[in-house]
Amino acid sequence: MNTLTQAKRIHFVQAALPRWYRRRRRDLPWRGRRDPYVVWVAEIMLQQTRAATAGPYFERFCRRFPDIAALARAPLDSVLKAWEGLGYYGRARNLHRAARRVVGEFGGRLPGTAQQLLKLPGIGRYTAGAVASIAFGADEPVLDGNVSRVLCRLFAVGTELKAAATQKRLWSLARRMIPPGEAGAFNQALMDLGATVCLPRSPQCPACPLKKICLAHARNRQQELPRRSPPRRLPHQTIVAGVIRKAGRVLIGRRPEEGLLGGLWEFPGGKVEKGETLTAALRREVREEVGIRVRVAGPLMTLRHAYSHFRITLHVFECRRLAGRAMALGCAAVRWVRPPELGRYAFPAANRKIIAALRRQAGAAKPRLRGRARAQRPAK
Ligand code: SF4
């Protein structure tokens, strides 16, 4: 089998993979549904999220926004709230923007070709291929992390995965492999094989339906393929944030829609400049962002968080407003809210940890208050 031509290998995959898929396909909430909207939402969620994590979000999202018109009508805030916890919020913003374009330009029906889909915000080559093939039956290939890994191993592609030439070769292989008229099921079969059998660290070759023609398996090169670029060291930022209190409420600001975590709410704060102390940085950031002067009362917590391109250490302080009226200077909106109402807003992960700490703090304070009230009650 080591000497087979590429055409024969492809022919083998076209016959063996669909057989395996019929018996072993994953039972996922979006499987078997051809509604283009549903396929689109699922594929956007799967861009940077594992299927097991995306599943419950997908079901909640489709209940909340059952079709494109409902998504287009919804305010961005409620879309971000439904996405809260999935991360990579640009996906939700683009999905929302694209739904509005589909309603405005295509009468509420998602276009059916990969070329048209590619013109919508947030739809790249992979998503266009997945939606066109699964929802519309078009013979379009897909190439995500799972499919890339399978192809690199099957055909012993040893060049660096991210290199343009490698990507071109993989896309061409993915296209040539499609059995005509079967792209939807075939693409999903390739994804499932990558997700359940051809695993990154421990490929399950004995259980693989393609082991007879797999070059990496024959040459014992599974561990070295695909060839990845050396990992980059993520830059680190020190950030400060303030829980600013006034008359039982806390101040939150909404990030501008464009950019990282756009449209999400957060506690005011920002980056510590070189040579600045944490508290001086917080006072400056609060003044620049929401226009008020604060007294930094004391530390609340310190937490670490990693984003895709950098890591942060976030120092959170309790603050009191000294002067000024909160205004959206460096953010899109500001609001004073009672702590129990914070759950109505969409916050990034690091800020949700602050909210959890505030809830714990409030929970710990209640029994003390109740105890004190009892102690103060006059004896009968
Ligand atoms: S034989 Fe092993 S390396 Fe080759 S495709 Fe199957 S699981 Fe992956």
Side-chain angles (χ1 to χ4, degrees):
M1 288 287 185
N2 219 342
T3 53
L4 282 182
T5 62
Q6 185 164 287
K8 287 207 166 133
R9 267 174 228 288
I10 289 176
H11 191 68
F12 183 95
V13 176
Q14 288 175 331
L17 192 59
R19 269 201 307 273
W20 172 84
Y21 183 62
R22 281 192 287 277
R23 285 183 287 123
R24 297 292 160 91
R25 60 187 237 160
R26 288 179 294 172
D27 185 17
L28 299 170
W30 45 85
R31 278 280 156 82
R33 296 177 66 175
R34 298 281 298 266
D35 175 353
Y37 170 69
V38 166
V39 174
W40 175 37
V41 170
E43 290 303 332
I44 296 290
M45 284 191 175
L46 291 170
Q47 279 174 0
Q48 271 116 347
T49 308
R50 295 159 62 89
T53 310
Y57 281 92
F58 167 81
E59 294 189 288
R60 275 198 303 275
F61 195 91
C62 289
R63 271 198 303 276
R64 176 85 180 75
F65 312 108
D67 51 36
I68 294 181
L71 180 58
R73 271 196 310 272
L76 176 61
D77 249 355
S78 64
V79 177
L80 290 172
K81 184 65 194 163
W83 204 270
E84 191 184 35
L86 261 186
Y88 298 95
Y89 292 88
R91 294 180 295 175
R93 289 195 302 276
N94 281 331
L95 192 62
H96 185 240
R97 215 173 282 155
R100 292 189 165 179
R101 286 254 314 260
V102 171
V103 168
E105 293 173 27
F106 298 95
R109 292 166 73 94
L110 202 62
T113 68
Q115 286 77 6
Q116 286 171 309
L117 287 163
L118 274 169
K119 292 184 184 148
L120 292 172
I123 298 194
R125 203 168 168 189
Y126 163 80
T127 310
V131 175
S133 63
I134 299 169
F136 297 102
D139 280 342
E140 290 290 345
V142 295
L143 189 71
D144 65 354
N146 284 329
V147 176
S148 299
R149 184 169 58 256
V150 172
L151 296 187
C152 282
R153 286 172 174 169
L154 277 181
F155 299 98
V157 176
T159 47
E160 206 165 279
L161 180 61
K162 284 202 176 147
T166 310
Q167 287 294 306
K168 196 169 169 206
R169 184 172 168 201
L170 294 177
W171 273 107
S172 154
L173 275 169
R175 184 173 289 284
R176 286 185 58 198
M177 289 189 23
I178 293 172
E182 304 291 332
F186 186 80
N187 287 338
Q188 291 179 85
L190 268 178
M191 296 177 208
D192 276 19
L193 190 77
T196 62
V197 178
C198 193
L199 301 169
R201 290 211 178 82
S202 49
Q204 308 291 300
C205 300
C208 179
L210 308 182
K211 61 178 180 288
K212 277 193 191 156
I213 56 97
C214 176
L215 287 174
H217 177 55
R219 298 170 189 172
N220 200 19
R221 293 184 64 198
Q222 300 94 316
Q223 296 301 336
E224 68 190 74
L225 297 173
R227 208 177 114 210
R228 300 200 174 272
S229 3
R232 279 177 308 127
R233 210 179 134 69
L234 293 182
H236 174 265
Q237 292 176 1
T238 303
I239 308 282
V240 282
V243 175
I244 306 168
R245 299 185 189 261
K246 184 188 83 170
R249 294 173 192 253
V250 293
L251 184 63
I252 55 173
R254 188 165 183 254
R255 292 176 70 91
E257 262 185 40
E258 298 310 322
L260 181 78
L261 307 173
L264 295 184
W265 292 84
E266 64 180 7
F267 294 95
K271 258 188 248 174
V272 178
E273 304 285 352
K274 214 169 169 201
E276 249 183 339
T277 63
L278 297 179
T279 51
L282 181 56
R283 284 193 297 269
R284 174 186 56 75
E285 282 287 345
V286 168
R287 207 171 49 243
E288 289 172 2
E289 195 177 322
V290 294
I292 60 174
R293 283 205 302 121
V294 292
R295 179 171 65 82
V296 180
L300 178 69
M301 65 191 299
T302 296
L303 53 95
R304 286 174 184 77
H305 191 74
Y307 292 98
S308 52
H309 292 89
F310 60 96
R311 296 170 297 120
I312 62 163
T313 301
L314 174 62
H315 300 273
V316 189
F317 293 86
E318 289 274 4
C319 299
R320 294 280 177 277
R321 187 185 69 110
L322 285 180
R325 186 161 164 264
M327 289 176 288
L329 298 179
C331 55
V334 288
R335 214 160 280 180
W336 288 101
V337 296
R338 296 188 189 286
E341 291 163 4
L342 287 169
R344 294 188 198 157
Y345 300 84
F347 285 88
N351 276 246
R352 287 203 307 281
K353 291 181 187 165
I354 303 175
I355 295 172
L358 294 180
R359 289 204 179 112
R360 282 196 300 275
Q361 206 181 47
K366 266 184 199 159
R368 273 207 309 276
L369 285 174
R370 275 200 295 271
R372 209 174 298 153
R374 260 198 304 275
Q376 285 167 358
R377 215 175 287 149
K380 284 186 182 168

